[in-house]
Amino acid sequence: MKNKNIQTATIGGGCFWCTEAVFQEVRGIETIVSGYTGGTVPGKPTYREICSGLTGHAEVIQLTFDADIISFEEILVIFMATHDPTTLNRQGADVGTQYRSVIFYHNETQQQIAVAVVKQLAEYYDAPIVTEVSAAETFHEAEAEHQDYYRRNTQQGYCNYVITPKLTKLRKLFADKLK
């Protein structure tokens, strides 16, 4: 059996339920955990604290992936295409720094790739990309009810109105990258 080339990526594109649902369909993704990072308040934050916008944390997913199947660059292209990287501290009706567009890099190579992807994709948007590129910080796993949210709640209003259209776009643009 071949050894896998497992790497870690941490990204935030608004509500982590949306980002998690997108990457659950991508081939090469091994694990996905919804959580929080990038804040200034010590200790493990709660969802309620994050939603206040006062902790500085972003809602993110941390995923592990087999880089022999999907590259970090491909992950970032999918990420950028399935949320709006041009709106500062918001995605749709979700407003606040906790919903910012952000790539947390885990090493210098990821940092270079992230900066290059943001620069390369800028020409495809009418407004400037505001996606933050920052060093990975302590990752805090979100509460159990936030894990695998879309799959457990597909009929919920938010899921139907916000997440399902993202998945439709994903399937149209990246069919060759899906499970």
Side-chain angles (χ1 to χ4, degrees), residues 18-93:
C18 298
T19 313
E20 175 192 59
V22 164
F23 284 95
Q24 284 177 327
E25 298 202 7
V26 177
R27 191 174 348 103
I29 303 300
E30 297 284 319
T31 64
I32 304 171
V33 179
S34 291
Y36 321 107
T37 194
T40 57
V41 176
K44 182 178 177 174
T46 65
Y47 183 69
R48 177 171 285 192
E49 291 168 333
I50 298 300
C51 287
S52 76
L54 300 176
T55 71
H57 292 84
E59 285 192 18
V60 298
I61 61 166
Q62 189 164 82
L63 52 88
T64 58
F65 62 99
D66 186 341
D68 291 335
I69 297 172
I70 187 162
S71 69
F72 183 65
E73 180 178 4
E74 291 169 316
I75 287 170
L76 296 185
V77 169
I78 292 169
F79 166 66
M80 297 294 279
T82 54
H83 82 289
D84 184 350
T86 68
T87 55
L88 186 62
N89 299 328
R90 81 173 302 140
Q91 286 297 305

Side-chain angles (χ1 to χ4, degrees), residues 43-167:
K44 182 178 177 174
T46 65
Y47 183 69
R48 177 171 285 192
E49 291 168 333
I50 298 300
C51 287
S52 76
L54 300 176
T55 71
H57 292 84
E59 285 192 18
V60 298
I61 61 166
Q62 189 164 82
L63 52 88
T64 58
F65 62 99
D66 186 341
D68 291 335
I69 297 172
I70 187 162
S71 69
F72 183 65
E73 180 178 4
E74 291 169 316
I75 287 170
L76 296 185
V77 169
I78 292 169
F79 166 66
M80 297 294 279
T82 54
H83 82 289
D84 184 350
T86 68
T87 55
L88 186 62
N89 299 328
R90 81 173 302 140
Q91 286 297 305
D94 295 330
V95 179
T97 58
Q98 67 271 30
Y99 301 116
R100 67 189 178 270
S101 175
V102 59
I103 301 164
F104 287 100
Y105 57 86
H106 291 265
N107 55 49
E108 189 176 318
T109 300
Q110 282 191 352
Q111 178 185 19
Q112 292 169 354
I113 292 168
V115 169
V117 166
V118 168
K119 186 176 179 181
Q120 289 167 0
L121 295 179
E123 69 182 83
Y124 296 100
Y125 294 91
D126 293 333
I129 291 176
V130 295
T131 302
E132 174 187 325
V133 176
S134 296
E137 299 180 23
T138 302
F139 175 81
H140 303 280
E141 185 173 334
E143 298 81 355
E145 63 265 23
H146 299 295
Q147 308 301 329
D148 202 28
Y149 189 85
Y150 177 75
R151 287 184 177 167
R152 293 183 298 102
N153 297 281
T154 55
Q155 297 309 310
Q156 191 246 22
Y158 182 89
C159 291
N160 272 318
Y161 183 73
V162 177
I163 300 174
T164 300
K166 285 181 183 283
L167 295 178

